[in-house]
Amino acid sequence: MIIKKLPDNVIKLIAAGEVIDSFTAVVRELVENSLDAKASRIVISLYPESWSLQVADNGEGMEEEDLLIAIQPHTTSKITSTDDLSKIQTLGFRGEALHSIAQLADVNITSRVKDSCGWEIITEKTEVTKCYPKAIAVGTIINVSNLFGNIPLRRQVNPEFKKQLKSIQILISELALCHPLVTWQLLVDDKIIFSISGNNNLTKIFPQLLKTVKYSDLEERDITINTPSENSLSYLKLLVGMPDRISRPRNDWVKIGVNGRVVKCAELESVIYSTFHRTLERDRYPLIFVHLQTSPRQIDWNRHPAKAEIYLDNLTFWQEKLRENIEEIFRLTDNNLSTKFENKRVENIFKVAENKAVYHVDNLPINREENKDNLGLIHLQVIAQARNTYILAEHSEGIWLIEQHIAHERILYEQLKNQWEIVALETPIILNKLLSKQVENLTNLNLEIDCFGEDLWAIRSIPKMLLNREDCLDALIELSWGGDLDSAQVSIACRTAIRNGTQLTIAQMQNIVDEWKMTKNPHTCPHGRPIYLSLEESSLYRFFRRHWVLGKSHGI
Ligand code: ADP
Ligand code: MG
């Protein structure tokens, strides 16, 4: 007989090993427990040399009797029956993490609940060996030492500490965005290497995670949605890096959080990529964080053993909501004005100045109603053309410079996308010396093309936009060099858009501006270049030190 039942302790190690296989996995389990205990401050200290770590929180803590059983298998305070499984609001519920960690390391836990004294337990191989009172603030401190001391191989296969540290930082960043009110600190050998102060605004949290990102590169929205097919509310939080201001060299910051943790959800990711399509430069990726907080019944966590992937119920509904709301952020509405941050800051400076009664500052006259057209988009009045290239437009809060060629290119590109039309020609266009690949490419774009003699081809239908254009022949040759339909549309839009250097009348420019601001992605051209530069009155006011007029410069 060669098939034997494994001893219990081996079974346990294998089962534990599935979850706890690295420093990061221990940190994940412990900080998720801290979050479940409603902590608002979490401090993680790592000691890589000794394979030890500590997680301290100011959460609800544990009573003495809870502490005594916390590391037993399948012990949890989060669910009590199978019914509860469909109502889970916490990150944990299996009651296995502490038990698994205690099998792989030495664990001691100190904890205190409000209005009670604190207790410390020392454990050895999942049994509590000592328990005594301990002075501690409300909350919990868990020390894990000698991790994987009993499985040397696990230590060997773990990547070098630098890599593990990186993945811990990513983990904390993701959790910080999902739980924005929490303040975090990460220490290695007692040196602080990463800290995040909690703030309800993700635009304030994100620049702490990625130093190259500025507060003003980001737009944030909180949307309340009626949950489909049940009587409850869901919340969608969006943090979007505006495509004219920021993008990433890798797709490392397209993140989707669902009910408190970042997960993989390819179906929502694809919505993000399609909404950002042709807004960024080549090989650049969006920066976006989405957090959906919805009823547990909308989510099936059984797609991945570590809860890293999910299935969403009512998927098309959530996809549509996501698309709608990203598109709304891209619209040129008053609410989306990029320099609103500037305005706030300047207002604050003024307030301080007024309190000190040194300067007298009039509030800027802003009539928000006048600033909108009937579609809710910002009203831009063209006043001039500069260098035959820039359209100068003003609105009630400032002036914008719009590059005429790329604004027009954006209009044409979206028109081509919406109504791609191939029209028959009365007289075919004759091209010569085409390679078979070129003929194939034109055919793939649905153009009618046939052989007209030796080395001659007759093009019998072309994209409508190229009709009557002098450069039609060049355009066809360009299209024949390949690319998909989308690239063809970009190149036609670029070719047909008004060139820079062309003089335009005010009416022509007003037309361009009016059409451009209605496009879905007015911020960048299909190649990813920013289309406009806004100079808001508040920034100009500050730049020209207009608040000095009645103050400093007059010696008051
Ligand atoms: P689970 O999180 O799935 O319930 P764990 O093994 O991670 O299982 O934790 C067991 C129990 O210990 C939790 O249900 C919780 O009651 C308690 N616990 C663990 N960590 C903390 C903490 N930091 N603060 C308060 N209670 C905690
Ligand atoms: Mg847990």
Side-chain angles (χ1 to χ4, degrees):
M1 188 173 157
I2 42 171
I3 298 179
K4 289 188 186 138
K5 188 181 182 300
L6 284 169
D8 268 359
N9 61 340
V10 180
I11 294 175
K12 278 184 185 162
L13 271 183
I14 294 170
E18 275 175 17
V19 194
I20 310 296
D21 56 357
S22 60
F23 253 117
T24 318
V26 180
V27 172
R28 172 182 294 115
E29 294 299 336
L30 297 184
V31 299
E32 287 195 353
N33 280 345
S34 300
L35 291 168
D36 283 346
K38 303 191 179 67
S40 63
R41 190 175 171 82
I42 302 174
V43 181
I44 302 136
S45 310
L46 306 175
Y47 303 93
E49 275 299 303
S50 59
W51 289 82
S52 305
L53 65 100
Q54 181 190 74
V55 172
D57 69 53
N58 66 348
E60 289 168 340
M62 282 174 269
E63 311 260 8
E64 183 195 357
E65 55 267 39
D66 286 334
L67 256 184
L68 290 170
I69 60 161
I71 61 162
Q72 295 308 307
H74 311 295
T75 50
T76 178
S77 58
K78 298 167 194 172
I79 56 169
T80 52
S81 67
T82 46
D83 256 13
D84 294 342
L85 276 174
S86 60
K87 301 182 211 145
I88 292 164
Q89 302 284 2
T90 49
L91 295 166
F93 58 87
R94 293 176 181 153
E96 281 184 297
L98 288 184
H99 178 69
S100 304
I101 296 167
Q103 288 181 73
L104 302 163
D106 303 327
V107 173
N108 76 47
I109 308 177
T110 317
S111 194
R112 189 188 131 196
V113 297
K114 198 164 165 259
D115 301 328
S116 177
C117 84
W119 292 89
E120 172 162 14
I121 57 162
I122 312 274
T123 72
E124 210 169 281
K125 296 215 169 50
T126 77
E127 293 303 327
V128 177
T129 51
K130 275 188 201 152
C131 175
Y132 43 79
K134 180 96 183 215
I136 173 190
V138 171
T140 303
I141 301 175
I142 301 193
N143 283 298
V144 174
S145 50
N146 195 24
L147 179 64
F148 306 135
N150 54 350
I151 327 178
L153 191 64
R154 186 71 51 84
R155 285 192 179 177
Q156 280 166 31
V157 297
N158 255 282
E160 57 180 304
F161 181 69
K162 233 167 84 189
K163 278 199 185 133
Q164 297 201 53
L165 186 60
K166 178 104 195 127
S167 71
I168 291 171
Q169 272 177 300
I170 293 172
L171 168 76
I172 298 173
S173 303
E174 294 176 350
L175 286 170
L177 289 170
C178 291
H179 304 269
L181 290 172
V182 177
T183 290
W184 304 76
Q185 247 176 15
L186 175 65
L187 295 89
V188 175
D189 294 325
D190 298 322
K191 268 214 302 280
I192 297 182
I193 54 153
F194 185 53
S195 56
I196 303 164
S197 42
N199 191 301
N200 204 22
N201 290 337
L202 296 186
T203 43
K204 299 232 173 88
I205 299 220
F206 203 89
Q208 302 182 56
L209 310 178
L210 216 58
K211 299 283 185 274
T212 49
V213 175
K214 289 198 296 291
Y215 173 59
S216 51
D217 296 336
L218 306 163
E219 290 286 339
E220 179 176 6
R221 290 293 177 284
D222 284 297
I223 305 115
T224 307
I225 299 166
N226 286 320
T227 317
S229 56
E230 48 180 285
N231 187 15
S232 69
L233 292 177
S234 297
Y235 305 92
L236 186 65
K237 212 172 175 52
L238 280 179
L239 181 73
V240 176
M242 296 304 281
D244 54 337
R245 291 175 247 160
I246 189 148
S247 63
R248 299 287 301 157
R250 279 171 292 124
N251 61 344
D252 57 348
W253 266 109
V254 173
K255 304 233 185 219
I256 296 166
V258 175
N259 286 9
R261 68 156 69 79
V262 166
V263 293
K264 271 251 149 257
C265 182
E267 296 84 356
L268 292 184
E269 266 177 36
S270 71
V271 169
I272 293 175
Y273 287 115
S274 78
T275 320
F276 270 83
H277 181 68
R278 288 286 179 191
T279 62
L280 299 175
E281 281 165 60
R282 212 202 201 132
D283 299 328
R284 301 291 295 186
Y285 296 86
L287 185 158
I288 177 168
F289 170 73
V290 176
H291 190 195
L292 172 65
Q293 282 169 290
T294 184
S295 127
R297 280 179 292 275
Q298 300 286 314
I299 303 158
D300 181 354
W301 289 100
N302 289 318
R303 190 167 180 172
H304 191 272
K307 306 175 196 152
E309 287 177 44
I310 56 153
Y311 292 109
L312 255 185
D313 226 12
N314 297 301
L315 185 63
T316 40
F317 173 86
W318 295 118
Q319 285 180 314
E320 209 27 60
K321 284 289 161 205
L322 181 58
R323 177 188 313 283
E324 241 172 54
N325 284 293
I326 300 175
E327 284 179 357
E328 179 57 36
I329 289 179
F330 287 161
R331 275 159 47 93
L332 293 179
T333 60
D334 195 31
N335 196 20
N336 291 349
L337 268 190
S338 56
T339 42
K340 64 180 188 289
F341 306 111
E342 279 304 285
N343 291 349
K344 278 232 175 68
R345 247 173 43 202
V346 175
E347 271 166 29
N348 288 341
I349 294 170
F350 290 167
K351 266 191 214 133
V352 173
E354 278 175 336
N355 285 346
K356 285 192 194 152
V358 175
Y359 309 127
H360 170 74
V361 182
D362 286 329
N363 278 335
L364 293 175
I366 290 171
N367 181 346
R368 292 197 170 262
E369 281 316 302
E370 237 175 55
N371 200 26
K372 281 184 207 153
D373 64 10
N374 49 9
L375 291 168
L377 300 175
I378 183 168
H379 179 68
L380 288 164
Q381 182 70 48
V382 172
I383 48 175
Q385 184 186 32
R387 306 185 66 82
N388 290 342
T389 298
Y390 305 106
I391 302 173
L392 188 62
E394 81 175 340
H395 68 112
S396 66
E397 288 178 53
I399 48 181
W400 288 18
L401 284 176
I402 301 152
E403 208 215 85
Q404 64 192 40
H405 171 69
I406 55 177
H408 196 213
E409 187 180 347
R410 167 55 72 188
I411 300 170
L412 297 179
Y413 171 68
E414 292 196 8
Q415 278 174 2
L416 284 168
K417 284 243 94 130
N418 293 337
Q419 26 184 299
W420 177 244
E421 216 181 317
I422 307 280
V423 288
L425 291 171
E426 275 172 24
T427 338
I429 296 173
I430 308 296
L431 295 180
N432 65 358
K433 290 204 167 66
L434 290 183
L435 302 173
S436 60
K437 182 74 198 152
Q438 288 175 281
V439 177
E440 189 187 321
N441 287 336
L442 291 174
T443 317
N444 285 344
L445 295 175
N446 283 335
L447 306 193
E448 205 181 311
I449 172 166
D450 47 43
C451 195
F452 200 64
E454 201 172 323
D455 258 355
L456 288 179
W457 279 265
I459 315 274
R460 300 189 184 277
S461 64
I462 59 167
K464 191 173 175 192
M465 204 79 108
L466 294 180
L467 216 57
N468 304 327
R469 283 192 63 94
E470 276 172 19
D471 60 353
C472 182
L473 211 94
D474 294 337
L476 288 171
I477 304 253
E478 193 180 299
L479 291 184
S480 75
W481 287 116
D484 51 10
L485 180 58
D486 187 57
S487 323
Q489 288 164 340
V490 171
S491 89
I492 292 175
C494 182
R495 178 174 283 280
T496 40
I498 289 165
R499 307 259 130 222
N500 287 334
T502 313
Q503 201 169 6
L504 299 171
T505 63
I506 296 282
Q508 284 171 321
M509 290 188 286
Q510 190 65 54
N511 266 341
I512 294 176
V513 168
D514 289 345
E515 281 190 53
W516 159 69
K517 69 178 190 184
M518 290 206 297
T519 56
K520 269 191 172 168
N521 283 304
H523 296 276
T524 53
C525 77
H527 301 102
R529 287 205 285 132
I531 293 178
Y532 71 101
L533 171 71
S534 72
L535 295 166
E536 300 310 310
E537 178 61 11
S538 56
S539 329
L540 296 173
Y541 195 95
R542 198 176 47 158
F543 178 79
F544 291 110
R545 314 256 200 292
R546 299 230 308 263
H547 53 286
W548 281 15
V549 172
L550 293 172
K552 249 187 194 165
S553 59
H554 288 196
I556 299 168

